[in-house]
Amino acid sequence: MALQIFGIPVSRGVAVGRAVLMSSARLDVAHYFVDPGQEEQEVDRLRAARQAVRAELDALQTELPQDAPAELSAFIDVHKMLLDDPQIGRETAVWIRRRRYNAEWALTAQLEVIGRSFDEMDDSYLRERKADVEQVVERLLRALRGTGGLARGMSSDEDLVLVAHDISPADMMQFKQGVFRGFVTDVGGKTSHTAIVARSLDIPAVVGAREASRLIRQDDWVIIDGDGGLLIVDPSPIILEDYRVRKQESSLARERLKRLKNTPARTLDGQMVELLANIELPDDCDSALQSGAAGVGLFRTEFLFMNRAHDLPGEEEQFEAYRHVLQSMQGRPVTIRTIDIGADKPLDTEADHRDGDFTHLNPALGLRAIRYSLSDPAMFRVQLRALLRAASFGPLRILIPMLAHVGEIRQTFALLDTARAELTSSGQSYGPVEVGAMIEVPAAVLMLPLFLKSFDFVSVGTNDLVQYTLAIDRADESVAALYDPLHPAVLQLLGQTITQSHAAESWKGRAVHVSVCGEMAGDPSLTRLLLGLGLRSFSMHPAQILSVKQEVLRADCARLAPLAKAVLAEFEPEGQQRALAALTA
Ligand code: PEP
Ligand code: MG
């Protein structure tokens, strides 16, 4: 019988493919398909790497000092033996020939297979030899580096899905070129940044599937049901057929939605709603425009800094990236958030570890987002200068993440002034910007008047607002069931933020623009509730825009407002469910 594994659905749709198992540590090797007909050349590349490693080991052995312990030479012999083992040579070549994996990928795939057979050994001495195999593979990977891979074909004859214990957001970004049809991880929550990137790739994904990477084997057939959070391993032909039909139906439904692209997002009672895109990289502007986004509501700039440990982007590179976004969006408003490094998005530079071994700390409550930027004002000013310069090329809003203290607000504005002064003194031009705050911690809601007085706009980061209100780590699957965007406390905070932002008109002379850019904004099942709470600006992954627009077109805000108010009045699940059902009726 087919094995079923349950996890947390994070990115919709169905993927069917063969499993590629990979340990997190090896996700950063290149993954691409060699072009058909080039397989033998890639096998030669692997062969050359094996020869290079053999020469390296021979040299090591001859250079051993006379008085070196005899075990050292025996140890090198073991490595040489492993290098010649058909499991590493011949079997790795099979991945290249049969799947057209590049040599590095083939090696790591084969390492997973060998690793498992070691794990299953009864003899603890033999089990520990796994480390030797890993060391030999590491040497081979190093030898392959710089030996110039072949032309990269992007398609495979067979669909593949990636199964890993964990995938960091940075590693996930590497899969943007579309090697895999779906993703599965043992750990993670619905709004972890890995899940967010999977959603932005618009590829079915299930996280928090606990034992998946142990239970699924290399090359197993797997169905990923990204809507139901279900994995089916080695499905029967009937189940497989059923899912293939579902897949077709869901792509047909998506095709139909595309007709809404140019329809104005106006409710039945004539309220205009702004549907904006969340992006991670400048090139995502294409998908934003294709989905009919009215602008960019959140550009998570930290992704520009990832996979760049020793070569962080400087002012020019950042300026070009921001200008590119503004120009691509052709006059539509663009909201660029200053870096939100930390928590589940570490930079992994030495500076990241400046407070010692931070794995012992709680990074979600630590040096993150604006705190990180303010801890390195020189780096922050580089980003602010790049942003101010880019502002000459289109309407730019700068968004500051995770503010909670008045001191942080003051320092941010002071650094903005300094950045402007630096540009003036170096004779560089810059444009006007609006400055906004993310509302992500309950403290910000409780002192909202200060935020509304200080900023031009606010944007509610519900992913973090839920995390910090309920004290639930958004990336931890063991508490995922308690991560509830509909928790009455979260809804109170959200409702207050929207109402008070509008009410600023009475004392500030104008309402403060408020939007939601957390994952709640892109969930069509919540669109009516948010409209009822008064929200008129939503920012989400481009892939979600048309589904949310469909809900907007069917909504009547005048009818929804009292119904949403009734939801806010309920603190117990039964009552809340009744009130929510009335909203969707
Ligand atoms: C949020 O917290 O809701 C948000 C949009 O920011 P991020 O998901 O990047 O933390
Ligand atoms: Mg956030």
Side-chain angles (χ1 to χ4, degrees):
M1 217 185 92
L3 170 69
Q4 298 197 355
I5 304 172
F6 290 90
I8 303 166
V10 294
S11 185
R12 64 190 181 160
V14 170
V16 181
R18 285 196 182 270
V20 174
L21 270 124
M22 224 156 336
S23 72
S24 320
R26 301 212 162 71
L27 283 167
D28 64 347
V29 306
H31 299 90
Y32 56 90
F33 302 105
V34 296
D35 282 334
Q38 306 265 27
E39 297 89 338
E40 289 313 311
Q41 269 172 271
E42 192 68 357
V43 172
D44 286 346
R45 218 178 129 235
L46 176 67
R47 196 172 294 125
R50 284 177 55 220
Q51 278 160 4
V53 171
R54 167 162 278 280
E56 209 176 282
L57 292 172
D58 284 343
L60 261 178
Q61 216 160 24
T62 21
E63 283 159 22
L64 277 179
Q66 290 281 308
D67 55 350
E71 296 87 50
L72 268 185
S73 184
F75 180 69
I76 297 173
D77 279 336
V78 171
H79 280 204
K80 286 207 278 197
M81 220 172 65
L82 287 170
L83 193 64
D84 290 337
D85 194 297
Q87 286 264 8
I88 288 194
R90 202 179 55 217
E91 296 299 315
T92 302
V94 171
W95 292 108
I96 301 176
R97 294 196 173 108
R98 209 173 65 197
R99 291 263 182 275
R100 289 198 281 111
Y101 289 0
N102 62 310
E104 290 88 341
W105 184 0
L107 264 173
T108 53
Q110 184 56 18
L111 179 60
E112 294 292 328
V113 175
I114 305 173
R116 261 171 204 256
S117 52
F118 273 98
D119 289 342
E120 282 159 11
M121 286 176 183
D122 290 332
D123 183 326
S124 66
Y125 173 80
L126 285 177
R127 232 181 9 249
E128 278 157 24
R129 299 285 62 77
K130 181 177 165 186
D132 292 312
V133 182
E134 285 174 341
Q135 284 162 15
V136 170
V137 169
E138 291 298 341
R139 276 187 189 277
L140 283 166
L141 289 172
R142 269 200 305 276
L144 281 165
R145 219 176 277 159
T147 63
L150 295 167
R152 297 166 181 223
M154 272 311 160
S155 62
S156 150
D157 304 330
E158 216 137 31
D159 287 344
L160 302 173
V161 298
L162 179 64
V163 181
H165 177 67
D166 192 12
I167 307 177
S168 72
D171 285 334
M172 195 60 137
M173 291 301 279
Q174 311 215 24
F175 298 123
K176 275 216 160 196
Q177 330 95 324
V179 172
F180 297 109
R181 300 274 166 264
F183 296 94
V184 178
T185 60
D186 296 343
V187 301
K190 202 172 184 112
T191 62
S192 63
H193 283 94
T194 299
I196 287 174
V197 179
R199 262 195 293 282
S200 84
L201 301 178
D202 202 13
I203 286 180
V206 170
V207 302
R210 296 292 176 93
E211 298 283 282
S213 73
R214 203 178 55 77
L215 297 172
I216 300 174
R217 287 167 184 269
Q218 200 77 272
D219 235 26
D220 276 349
W221 275 103
V222 179
I223 295 176
I224 302 179
D225 177 347
D227 300 305
L230 174 65
L231 308 171
I232 305 176
V233 188
D234 272 333
S236 66
I238 297 177
I239 298 181
L240 211 51
E241 190 47 33
D242 180 39
Y243 270 94
R244 286 209 168 108
V245 171
R246 279 204 221 178
K247 209 172 137 182
Q248 271 167 4
E249 282 170 358
S250 92
S251 38
L252 269 177
R254 283 185 192 213
E255 278 306 311
R256 276 198 292 275
L257 268 183
K258 283 190 185 157
R259 293 190 207 135
L260 298 181
K261 180 185 161 189
N262 295 317
T263 310
R266 187 185 292 119
T267 62
L268 292 173
D269 56 335
Q271 298 276 325
M272 280 310 295
V273 178
E274 187 181 42
L275 301 180
L276 303 162
N278 288 357
I279 64 169
E280 275 89 40
L281 288 176
D283 286 346
D284 296 339
C285 289
D286 295 342
S287 50
L289 290 169
Q290 275 161 27
S291 64
V296 169
L298 174 66
F299 173 10
R300 292 181 161 99
T301 56
E302 56 276 12
F303 283 91
L304 290 176
F305 291 67
M306 287 182 183
N307 301 316
R308 302 277 304 259
H310 302 290
D311 165 38
L312 296 182
E315 184 177 324
E316 281 314 304
E317 186 181 334
Q318 288 190 54
F319 162 67
E320 289 301 341
Y322 307 147
R323 182 171 72 161
H324 178 88
V325 172
L326 282 155
Q327 289 181 327
S328 305
M329 293 311 290
Q330 302 155 21
R332 295 173 181 83
V334 169
T335 305
I336 303 186
R337 182 175 73 182
T338 59
I339 55 169
D340 184 356
I341 291 296
D344 62 341
K345 291 176 289 190
L347 259 193
D348 205 28
T349 60
E350 267 166 40
D352 247 7
H353 301 273
R354 64 189 134 200
D355 290 332
D357 183 355
F358 79 159
T359 53
H360 293 295
L361 306 175
N362 183 339
L365 300 182
L367 194 63
R368 187 194 154 179
I370 187 61
R371 304 171 187 176
Y372 191 100
S373 295
L374 292 176
S375 75
D376 190 344
M379 173 168 126
F380 192 28
R381 285 202 326 272
V382 168
Q383 179 163 41
L384 294 176
R385 284 197 303 269
L387 284 165
L388 289 166
R389 286 170 57 197
S392 306
F393 297 87
L396 175 61
R397 300 169 177 163
I398 297 180
L399 182 58
I400 313 294
M402 224 186 134
L403 289 161
H405 296 265
V406 65
E408 292 165 346
I409 299 176
R410 290 184 183 156
Q411 281 181 66
T412 300
F413 279 106
L415 285 169
L416 261 169
D417 285 343
T418 313
R420 284 192 191 92
E422 284 168 346
L423 290 173
T424 306
S425 68
S426 63
Q428 281 173 299
S429 59
Y430 57 88
V433 291
E434 289 192 1
V435 184
M438 286 201 74
I439 304 297
E440 303 191 273
V441 285
V445 183
L446 296 174
M447 50 198 271
L448 204 61
L450 172 78
F451 280 75
L452 298 177
K453 184 179 102 186
S454 312
F455 291 95
D456 299 310
F457 68 98
V458 292
S459 186
V460 190
T462 48
N463 306 335
D464 278 316
L465 191 60
V466 175
Q467 157 164 272
Y468 295 123
T469 305
L470 304 180
I472 298 294
D473 186 337
R474 60 194 265 195
D476 183 348
E477 76 286 353
S478 66
V479 284
L482 296 171
Y483 183 97
D484 180 14
L486 291 175
H487 189 290
V490 173
L491 294 185
Q492 296 294 325
L493 294 172
L494 184 55
Q496 278 176 37
T497 307
I498 298 169
T499 314
Q500 288 189 40
S501 301
H502 293 161
E505 178 132 39
S506 64
W507 56 267
K508 188 169 172 163
R510 69 171 185 86
V512 172
H513 184 275
V514 53
S515 86
V516 169
C517 62
E519 298 300 295
M520 284 179 84
D523 181 345
S525 70
L526 301 178
T527 309
R528 283 164 173 243
L529 174 63
L530 296 176
L531 286 170
L533 292 176
L535 189 73
R536 297 292 179 267
S537 175
F538 298 60
S539 192
M540 68 204 82
H541 291 300
Q544 296 299 112
I545 288 184
L546 294 176
S547 310
V548 171
K549 191 189 274 187
Q550 192 171 38
E551 289 299 317
V552 167
L553 298 175
R554 293 172 181 161
D556 177 346
C557 292
R559 193 182 79 81
L560 293 175
L563 295 173
K565 212 167 163 188
V567 174
L568 287 189
E570 297 290 346
F571 293 97
E572 289 179 83
E574 303 75 16
Q576 196 197 51
Q577 268 156 27
R578 263 196 308 277
L580 283 168
L583 254 177
T584 44

